[in-house]
Amino acid sequence: MESSTSTLILRSGAALVFDSNSLQSQQNLPTQFIWPTKDQALTQDHLNEPVIDLQGFRNGEKQATAEAAELIRIACSNHGFFQVTNHGVDSNLISLAYEEIEGVFKLPLEKKLSLRRKPGSVSGYSGAHADRYSSNLPWKETFSFGFHGKETENIVVDYFNSVLGLDFSNTGKVYQKYCEAMKELSLVIFELLAISLGVDRSHYKEFFEDASSIMRMNYYPPCNRNSGILGTGPHCDPTSLTILHQDGVGGLQVFLDNKWREVMPRQDALVINIGDTFMALCNGKYKSCLHRAVVNSKRERKSLVYFVSPKEDKVVRPPEDLVCSQVPRNYPDFTWSHLLDFTQLHYRADFHTLPSFFRWLNNNNNNNNNNNNNTTSHSPANTSNNIS
């Protein structure tokens, strides 16, 4: 499916302020929120992604591990989505994380606007991404923050204390624990992914031990005129792995076989999907699939998302086991810091992010080479030769 968002880059000038109640009181919603017809297609089916019980793998049972790895292999070869149960994340912690969402998104509008993400940053508040884009705006609010590397003690607590004040110290503690649980689960998933791909089971687990992650709270207000409105537009995640918990309202949809298919919410499960960076790390054997979120006309929707990526300066390349003369490299080497810079400052993530990124990277390298050549050609010795 061709997404309509690929050329929408960072906006300039005054940004629209997202106040869902105020916007819905207007006779017509601003056109910035109306998506192209091809992006509005209704869901036609359920995805029927596998629900994988991790208990056996976590207990070291060989048969359960083999079965889980095979389910992952089939799902990730097809569309890159699956759900996991008995994942080890305390259900009470998930409930607490949802409770703390209320305190952030119910803040006065002026306060939320003071917390807006700065250009190029992944941390802070965003209302409909109106500070970044000028059209095809998502009907949602987000609050994001980083969780990096091995030195993660109190990093989230300190962030909430510094940005929102001591009144949100408990929120920081809850999300500190939530991020720690997500990191632990992500390493379990990476080990299973390695097994499913037939590479050393510790390969990806070790690669992501010092991962650079982003935690995001999503709040989708109801929209009583939701024709043409999307909570999140069609895109593929540029990151490596996404771990999502969606509330009972649901709304996540995946594009497969020319149809939008719904991922049904399960309160005991977490949704896992492959991102573009992992697609490069497995040499394209697994898919990063187009997905979106729709808005409910009557009920607000909330979700918790944890995005995992490599440490910024690590080189992204597949293990040698996945490259041979019959299966050459599909993607050149790159670092997450370059891809993050590309998607934050130059390009809106869509179905074509990776090929667009490699073209951008190649152009930058060519420009740098040309600049170096120009510098050499304009040295005093060369200038004198030109004059003579």
Side-chain angles (χ1 to χ4, degrees), residues 275-294:
D276 289 344
T277 302
F278 193 84
M279 186 165 64
L281 279 167
C282 68
N283 202 30
K285 288 182 71 70
Y286 288 171
K287 294 182 179 180
S288 174
C289 200
L290 199 68
H291 56 284
R292 69 180 186 181
V294 297

Side-chain angles (χ1 to χ4, degrees), residues 117 120-125 143-160 162-163 172 175-180 182-183 210-217 239 305-309 312 336 340:
R117 290 167 55 181
S121 172
V122 300
S123 298
Y125 170 82
F143 190 78
S144 310
F145 47 92
F147 188 74
H148 303 287
K150 294 183 178 180
E151 302 299 324
T152 55
E153 185 175 357
N154 292 328
I155 185 174
V156 178
V157 175
D158 292 343
Y159 177 76
F160 274 86
S162 64
V163 172
Y175 277 99
Q176 177 77 37
K177 292 179 180 178
Y178 191 86
C179 288
E180 290 169 355
M182 289 296 105
K183 178 180 178 180
D210 54 358
S212 173
S213 300
I214 302 166
M215 179 70 214
R216 177 169 296 165
M217 315 172 188
T239 48
V305 195
Y306 187 80
F307 300 102
V308 190
S309 292
E312 285 86 347
W336 168 241
L340 179 63

Side-chain angles (χ1 to χ4, degrees), residues 117-147:
R117 290 167 55 181
K118 294 179 174 58
S121 172
V122 300
S123 298
Y125 170 82
S126 177
H129 294 331
D131 53 329
R132 300 181 66 201
Y133 309 122
S134 57
S135 63
N136 293 349
L137 299 183
W139 191 265
K140 69 175 179 179
E141 301 177 57
T142 67
F143 190 78
S144 310
F145 47 92
F147 188 74

Side-chain angles (χ1 to χ4, degrees), residues 185-382:
L185 174 59
S186 74
L187 297 180
V188 169
I189 299 300
F190 283 125
E191 189 171 357
L192 268 172
L193 284 166
I195 294 170
S196 73
L197 285 162
V199 303
D200 186 295
R201 66 186 293 159
S202 64
H203 178 83
Y204 295 118
K205 183 178 179 180
E206 292 176 355
F207 187 80
F208 286 97
E209 186 66 44
D210 54 358
S212 173
S213 300
I214 302 166
M215 179 70 214
R216 177 169 296 165
M217 315 172 188
N218 287 324
Y219 173 68
Y220 302 84
C223 184
N224 54 25
R225 289 177 289 167
N226 61 0
S227 177
I229 305 297
L230 288 175
T232 301
H235 70 287
C236 296
D237 294 338
T239 48
S240 295
L241 192 74
T242 302
I243 306 176
L244 165 77
H245 192 280
Q246 55 176 344
D247 66 11
V249 176
L252 174 63
Q253 299 177 352
V254 176
F255 194 72
L256 179 67
D257 297 333
N258 293 315
K259 292 181 181 180
W260 283 107
R261 301 170 186 269
E262 187 172 6
V263 177
M264 298 300 293
R266 291 177 54 115
Q267 294 312 293
D268 63 336
L270 290 159
V271 180
I272 313 292
N273 71 272
I274 298 299
D276 289 344
T277 302
F278 193 84
M279 186 165 64
L281 279 167
C282 68
N283 202 30
K285 288 182 71 70
Y286 288 171
K287 294 182 179 180
S288 174
C289 200
L290 199 68
H291 56 284
R292 69 180 186 181
V294 297
V295 178
N296 193 283
S297 61
K298 297 179 180 179
R299 299 173 64 190
E300 64 182 15
R301 176 182 184 256
K302 291 171 282 189
S303 65
L304 305 167
V305 195
Y306 187 80
F307 300 102
V308 190
S309 292
K311 187 180 178 183
E312 285 86 347
D313 60 354
K314 277 192 172 179
V315 176
V316 174
R317 67 166 66 101
E320 293 181 0
D321 295 1
L322 300 181
V323 181
C324 62
S325 57
Q326 288 79 29
V327 187
R329 285 282 299 274
N330 285 317
Y331 311 98
D333 287 355
F334 64 95
T335 62
W336 168 241
S337 61
H338 283 131
L339 180 55
L340 179 63
D341 176 67
F342 178 65
T343 56
Q344 292 298 308
L345 295 173
H346 304 285
Y347 191 86
R348 187 171 185 176
D350 65 0
F351 191 60
H352 306 289
T353 300
L354 272 190
S356 300
F357 166 63
F358 293 131
R359 284 195 297 271
W360 174 80
L361 203 60
N362 187 55
N363 288 337
N364 279 358
N365 290 337
N366 289 338
N367 289 337
N368 289 336
N369 290 336
N370 290 336
N371 289 337
N372 290 336
N373 291 335
N374 288 337
T375 301
T376 302
S377 65
H378 287 90
S379 63
N382 284 336

